[in-house]
Amino acid sequence: MNTHPFFRPLTLTGLLVACIAGAAFADTKTFDGGAGGLGTTLDAADNWNPDGIPVTTDEAVLDNSSITLPAALTIDSNQTFGDLVINSVSLTSLTLTGSADRNITLSGGGGSTAAITAGGALGDLIVLGTDVTGTVSIGNGTGSGDLELTLGADGNFNVVNSSAVLSIIEPIDGAFTITKTGAGALHFFGNASSFSGLVVENGLVGTSRGTGLGSGEVTLGQTGGTNNVTLAISGQSGGTTTIANDINVLAQASGTITISNTTVGDQIAQNNEVSGDIALGYGLTINSNRANRSLTVSGMITGSETLTITGINTTTANVVISGNNATSFTGDVVLSAPLFFEQ
């Protein structure tokens, strides 16, 4: 075959080299503790299998497939993982050991093979898998620095089991949206988180910080969904937690959607407030669940769906509706706990 000198046939070897050079392949790195399985830091290359600290195209797996993980693993440098898969019955915390602030960035670039194997799903940035039935916390540590998470993409925080809790101690940065999936609980204790949106499709999301839910709208439920969804609000001792985010309640097919004034982790309910507007596309339950404390809804409620007021049924654990809802809300109100209107 005659060819122009500028156009040469590309050999199979050339094709393979071109493909390898043009693509970054996701890998799975599993923590194995290095020689003897005694390592506890995520910063050491030989503590992973295969050797090497996970990078932005890798899934970082913390499970008991290689060793029985200790209760606490530590980190003292900034790292970027594609996603973080936690599926260990023994691990309870990921903490910082140093005095400088550090970040784990979740890029979303690792694929989801390991996440799915652990019981998660495509698009998970963090998954607490099927083996996790207790609480796993990320943040704090033995030093004076803070360990924070940074988002590099939209993605899921998936807590698979209903008895499992993922507790995020410090703020979360990154202008991306977190979607809470799985039947378990996700607790935000960091102040001034800057992630740009929160969608709660399943289970419970709780916070004790007014700015713990990010800077954007909070969406509760899933269009056509059937899951039970709860937004739980606790408070700092002696203080008030005010949720200023607008809240959008989506039209589910079934299930319950609840905003509750209640204990989150070790933080008990105070006199708390929802000052953002609430748009009802589905029935909403507002619950006040601690004696001598109230939950005030001062934002505007819009929609024609049913609003149900529940609680421990005492005059000291009540719900206060103080927004101007005379024309914006046209639904029914069902009372099984004290409700007060303030205009």
Side-chain angles (χ1 to χ4, degrees):
M1 180 177 66
N2 293 324
T3 59
H4 191 281
F6 291 108
F7 297 95
R8 301 292 186 190
L10 189 60
T11 65
L12 178 60
T13 301
L15 282 170
L16 289 173
V17 171
C19 289
I20 292 171
F25 292 97
D27 198 2
T28 297
K29 297 288 186 74
T30 301
F31 189 89
D32 66 358
L38 301 177
T40 60
T41 176
L42 274 60
D43 302 303
D46 60 356
N47 282 347
W48 296 90
N49 181 26
D51 284 351
I53 300 171
V55 295
T56 185
T57 55
D58 296 334
E59 292 187 90
V61 178
L62 308 178
D63 66 12
N64 287 5
S65 61
S66 298
I67 60 170
T68 299
L69 292 182
L73 291 175
T74 63
I75 191 169
D76 192 26
S77 62
N78 295 325
Q79 301 294 341
T80 298
F81 305 147
D83 62 18
L84 181 59
V85 179
I86 301 173
N87 199 27
S88 166
V89 296
S90 54
L91 179 68
T92 60
S93 68
L94 178 57
T95 63
L96 185 73
T97 56
S99 58
D101 293 349
R102 301 300 187 195
N103 287 79
I104 296 176
T105 298
L106 302 171
S107 72
S112 300
T113 301
I116 293 170
T117 299
L122 184 69
D124 287 351
L125 292 178
I126 297 182
V127 56
L128 294 194
T130 53
D131 289 347
V132 181
T133 57
T135 298
V136 177
S137 64
I138 299 177
N140 285 344
T142 57
S144 58
D146 294 331
L147 175 60
E148 300 183 4
L149 295 178
T150 298
L151 305 181
D154 298 332
N156 306 328
F157 281 32
N158 189 347
V159 185
V160 175
N161 285 324
S162 60
S163 61
V165 178
L166 175 59
S167 181
I168 309 297
I169 306 301
E170 304 295 342
I172 300 176
D173 298 323
F176 296 96
T177 296
I178 295 172
T179 299
K180 162 62 177 67
T181 59
L186 171 62
H187 294 168
F188 294 116
F189 293 121
N191 204 19
S193 285
S194 63
F195 62 91
S196 58
L198 175 64
V199 179
V200 188
E201 292 186 350
N202 193 5
L204 179 145
V205 167
T207 187
S208 62
R209 299 287 190 172
T211 55
L213 301 178
S215 61
E217 182 179 81
V218 174
T219 299
L220 302 180
Q222 186 177 19
T223 300
T226 60
N227 298 316
N228 296 329
V229 170
T230 299
L231 175 60
I233 306 168
S234 67
Q236 305 296 305
S237 179
T240 296
T241 298
T242 299
I243 304 299
N245 310 70
D246 289 341
I247 297 173
N248 186 23
V249 180
L250 296 184
Q252 295 212 145
S254 61
T256 61
I257 298 180
T258 303
I259 298 175
S260 183
N261 196 40
T262 190
T263 298
V264 176
D266 61 357
Q267 303 294 309
I268 60 177
Q270 303 296 330
N271 291 314
N272 295 325
E273 181 178 358
V274 176
S275 63
D277 294 338
I278 302 175
L280 298 182
Y282 187 74
L284 174 67
T285 297
I286 300 178
N287 173 275
S288 187
N289 206 33
R290 186 187 174 205
N292 302 312
R293 297 293 185 269
S294 63
L295 177 60
T296 298
V297 179
S298 59
M300 181 180 293
I301 302 173
T302 61
S304 58
E305 302 294 333
T306 299
L307 187 65
T308 302
I309 308 299
T310 64
I312 60 175
N313 202 27
T314 72
T315 56
T316 60
N318 54 64
V319 174
V320 178
I321 304 293
S322 63
N324 184 8
N325 306 299
T327 59
S328 62
F329 173 65
T330 58
D332 294 331
V333 177
V334 177
L335 297 179
S336 60
L339 171 65
F340 296 90
F341 289 95
E342 292 182 355
Q343 298 295 333

